[in-house]
Amino acid sequence: MKPDALPRLRSWLGSEARPEGFRLPPERELAPLLGVSRTDLRNALLVLETEGGLERQVGRGTFLRHAARPGADYGSGRDISSLAERTGPMEAMNARLALEPELAQMAALQASPLQISELRELAQAMRVAPDWAGYEKLDADFHELLAKSAGNPLLYELHRIVNGVRLVVVWRRLNPEDVSPPSSYHSFAEHDAIVAALERRDQAAARAAMRAHLAATIAAMAGGA
Amino acid sequence: MKPDALPRLRSWLGSEARPEGFRLPPERELAPLLGVSRTDLRNALLVLETEGGLERQVGRGTFLRHAARPGADYGSGRDISSLAERTGPMEAMNARLALEPELAQMAALQASPLQISELRELAQAMRVAPDWAGYEKLDADFHELLAKSAGNPLLYELHRIVNGVRLVVVWRRLNPEDVSPPSSYHSFAEHDAIVAALERRDQAAARAAMRAHLAATIAAMAGGA
DNA sequence: GATGTCTGATTGGTTGACCAATGAAGCCTG
DNA sequence: CAGGCTTCATTGGTCAACCAATCAGACATC
């Protein structure tokens, strides 16, 4: 399959507000509209149908299973960008508060020495990130590695979703003119405290350090940072 | 698309241990093997490719992106049944412990009177379930409605995954000859306590009641129930 | 005027022929 | 003999013609 039919279809569907039940144009009309062949369009429609976002019926047409929001690619309603559209900043933080202390506690027991060493390096790299974009990428990597090192596949998958939603929110807010975090940025010391607790294999301290980190992030958000 | 090609392909891929990188038979051979047309097979392959489970290259063939485990349908590695294969019972409980007290606390504030009333009805219906299967279905519905009533789309999606994994584990354990839960079954009173806390809009009590419910479930698991 | 039946246009779905990409084998050259 | 080039069989990918399902409109009947 040509790699652009599916993104084009998602983007086209998200170009206007369209209600649940909306009927798409016939394939033979929509394909030229999107600049793709009917075969490619059919492939894209199939994927969206299998995801649960569309219903297709011979002789009747193709219909949206849920409303399309303008400005967002159309998905199953359960992909990361759709979730990000429907999740407020505090809601995302609540999800992090539920998951990440648990993950930190488990990582203190399960993480390998190599993983802990890599976390130490990431925490250090964040202190010298060239800009906020670089910092946020490293921050996401730090939290992802920590979730992975906890050794619970289910919680890791949950964290992947939460981290993905968080990244959408963060990238939306980033201003290209922003310079890097100041050296007094609260998260630096908090990351260090988390890694130190892992190094000591101190589960309670890891949990508390993660909670403190997230609480400080919430306080900074409430302060209009 | 015929609705059986994708399940047949998933099932066939999960019929034997196959390593990451395994090369599938050519489409023209595999289609008759599965009893489907080449078109239907191609549709199924497309879905799996888009999920990330397969890599397909013209002139070379089609390859697994991750290993197939025997006895499990082949997925992206991130669908509920794959996660259930890789998640132990205690790991699933840890995920529930992270999520569900948070959800109960939020539901105490956010749930509508209708939702609370429906939760009350579900709790009552579980007491008179005809068998364990019926009980487990209602239990899943109870926890799902509670997650929904919390009003956090992200946590609701996370809970959907956890609830799905839990159901796979539970259904795997159910014995058709099992009768219904005894009237002294611990969860009945615990469900009532959760609903009562919601009715009172008492966030802390809802959180504590859910923690107690999950802790009792863990204890029963450890007791070999 | 209301209801039932038939027709044909329109819709998504399928097929076999053909196309594009790949790589192994064979052939040629230095 | 080794390396490069060509050929061709095999692989997944595309297409136009055709098929199957749906329903609005026209027509017939009561």
Side-chain angles (χ1 to χ4, degrees):
Chain A
M1 170 163 100
K2 294 238 181 62
D4 63 344
L6 185 55
R8 285 194 191 192
L9 179 58
R10 289 194 201 272
S11 177
W12 181 84
L13 286 170
S15 61
E16 290 175 35
R18 293 185 170 99
E20 178 180 328
F22 173 79
R23 184 174 179 279
L24 271 66
E27 294 176 1
R28 293 169 181 87
E29 285 180 29
L30 186 53
L33 210 59
L34 297 182
V36 300
S37 67
R38 187 178 162 216
T39 301
D40 286 337
L41 174 64
R42 290 186 54 74
N43 286 338
L45 290 169
L46 174 66
V47 170
L48 280 188
E49 182 188 20
T50 305
E51 277 178 10
L54 296 184
E55 178 176 4
R56 300 163 79 195
Q57 287 183 41
V58 179
R60 296 190 62 217
T62 299
F63 306 87
L64 297 193
R65 280 197 196 270
H66 62 88
R69 289 165 168 266
D73 285 352
Y74 188 78
S76 64
R78 299 204 306 254
D79 53 292
I80 283 170
S81 60
S82 292
L83 281 172
E85 282 295 318
R86 289 183 281 131
T87 302
M90 280 309 305
E91 287 169 334
M93 287 311 303
N94 283 337
R96 293 186 70 190
L97 267 169
L99 279 192
E100 296 199 34
E102 194 74 33
L103 286 165
Q105 175 167 336
M106 293 166 72
L109 187 59
Q110 305 284 348
S112 69
L114 178 63
Q115 282 168 331
I116 295 174
S117 166
E118 282 168 357
L119 285 166
R120 177 59 73 188
E121 282 165 26
L122 283 169
Q124 180 56 30
M126 279 191 264
R127 284 180 179 265
V128 294
D131 51 21
W132 274 105
Y135 168 82
E136 291 292 353
K137 173 68 173 55
L138 291 165
D139 189 47
D141 290 344
F142 178 86
H143 286 270
E144 192 269 340
L145 178 57
L146 196 116
K148 186 167 191 170
S149 70
N152 181 326
L154 182 52
L155 282 174
Y156 178 59
E157 172 61 14
L158 300 188
H159 184 265
R160 183 191 66 83
I161 294 170
V162 173
N163 221 25
V165 167
R166 183 178 70 119
L167 267 191
V168 170
V169 172
V170 162
W171 289 109
R172 192 177 288 147
R173 249 183 20 215
L174 279 187
N175 181 341
E177 295 166 16
D178 281 352
V179 292
S180 60
S183 60
S184 60
Y185 187 48
H186 69 90
S187 292
F188 292 155
E190 287 153 16
H191 290 143
D192 284 344
I194 293 164
V195 178
L198 298 194
E199 286 165 343
R200 294 197 311 275
R201 303 290 175 175
D202 188 336
Q203 292 180 62
R207 183 183 196 96
M210 182 59 84
R211 286 203 80 92
H213 172 47
L214 296 175
T217 302
I218 291 173
M221 282 167 66
Chain B
M1 171 162 99
K2 292 236 183 65
D4 64 344
L6 184 56
R8 285 194 189 193
L9 179 58
R10 289 195 201 272
S11 176
W12 181 84
L13 286 169
S15 61
E16 292 176 33
R18 294 184 168 97
E20 178 179 331
F22 173 80
R23 185 173 176 278
L24 272 68
E27 295 176 359
R28 291 171 182 88
E29 287 178 27
L30 186 53
L33 210 59
L34 297 182
V36 299
S37 68
R38 186 178 163 218
T39 301
D40 286 337
L41 174 63
R42 290 184 55 73
N43 286 340
L45 290 169
L46 173 67
V47 171
L48 279 187
E49 179 185 25
T50 306
E51 276 178 11
L54 296 184
E55 179 176 4
R56 302 164 76 194
Q57 285 183 41
V58 179
R60 297 190 61 215
T62 299
F63 305 87
L64 298 193
R65 280 197 196 270
H66 63 87
R69 292 164 166 266
D73 285 353
Y74 188 77
S76 64
R78 298 204 306 253
D79 52 291
I80 283 170
S81 59
S82 294
L83 282 172
E85 282 293 318
R86 290 185 280 133
T87 301
M90 280 311 304
E91 286 169 332
M93 287 312 304
N94 283 339
R96 293 186 70 190
L97 268 170
L99 280 191
E100 295 197 36
E102 194 74 31
L103 286 164
Q105 175 167 338
M106 294 166 74
L109 187 59
Q110 305 285 347
S112 69
L114 179 64
Q115 283 169 329
I116 294 174
S117 167
E118 282 168 358
L119 286 164
R120 177 57 74 191
E121 281 166 25
L122 281 168
Q124 181 54 33
M126 278 191 264
R127 285 180 178 265
V128 293
D131 52 24
W132 273 103
Y135 167 82
E136 292 291 353
K137 172 69 172 59
L138 291 166
D139 188 48
D141 291 346
F142 179 87
H143 286 272
E144 192 270 339
L145 178 57
L146 196 119
K148 185 167 192 168
S149 69
N152 182 325
L154 181 53
L155 281 174
Y156 177 59
E157 171 62 15
L158 300 187
H159 183 264
R160 185 192 64 84
I161 294 169
V162 173
N163 220 24
V165 167
R166 184 179 70 118
L167 266 192
V168 169
V169 172
V170 162
W171 289 109
R172 192 178 286 147
R173 254 185 13 218
L174 279 188
N175 181 340
E177 295 167 15
D178 283 350
V179 290
S180 61
S183 60
S184 59
Y185 187 49
H186 69 90
S187 292
F188 292 155
E190 287 152 18
H191 290 143
D192 284 345
I194 292 163
V195 177
L198 296 196
E199 285 164 344
R200 294 197 310 275
R201 304 288 176 177
D202 187 335
Q203 292 181 61
R207 184 182 195 96
M210 182 60 83
R211 287 201 80 88
H213 171 48
L214 297 175
T217 303
I218 291 172
M221 282 167 66

